[in-house]
Amino acid sequence: MSRERDQEHLRRDALTAFLDEREREGYRVESHTHTQAVIGPPDRRRSLRGLLRKPGSLPRQVVSVDRDGHVSVGPAEPLRS
């Protein structure tokens, strides 16, 4: 495989692993590409911790992965109603 293809797989695997972990924590994946995703906060009704959390305390987040497989998270725009 070429180096470029190796990096593509590294990025994809890193993002998938990160998102899998967040989904186990109750987060929902709203959108997803090979290098970026938007995740929403956990459903408060799905866990005891969620019931104790203030509504809106965890904002939507943009998850990105760089070419070296490092994942970063930042705030996403709020949903428009």
Side-chain angles (χ1 to χ4, degrees):
M1 258 193 239
S2 71
R3 179 183 164 106
E4 186 175 308
R5 209 173 243 184
D6 287 343
Q7 284 182 321
E8 183 180 322
H9 285 288
L10 174 70
R11 292 174 83 174
R12 190 176 298 165
D13 291 347
L15 185 59
T16 298
F18 184 88
L19 293 176
D20 287 348
E21 179 64 30
R22 291 304 174 266
E23 284 181 314
R24 281 191 291 279
E25 294 173 4
Y27 285 82
R28 65 187 189 290
V29 177
E30 296 178 6
S31 64
H32 181 256
T33 67
H34 296 304
T35 59
Q36 192 174 50
V38 175
I39 59 175
D43 183 351
R44 293 182 57 222
R45 297 167 293 185
R46 291 186 63 189
S47 71
L48 180 58
R49 251 195 296 179
L51 291 172
L52 300 174
R53 189 177 303 125
K54 290 182 189 176
S57 63
L58 293 173
R60 296 170 68 235
Q61 300 172 340
V62 175
V63 181
S64 301
V65 61
D66 67 15
R67 33 185 329 183
D68 297 320
H70 298 111
V71 176
S72 61
V73 179
E77 293 290 322
L79 284 175
R80 297 179 188 156
S81 23

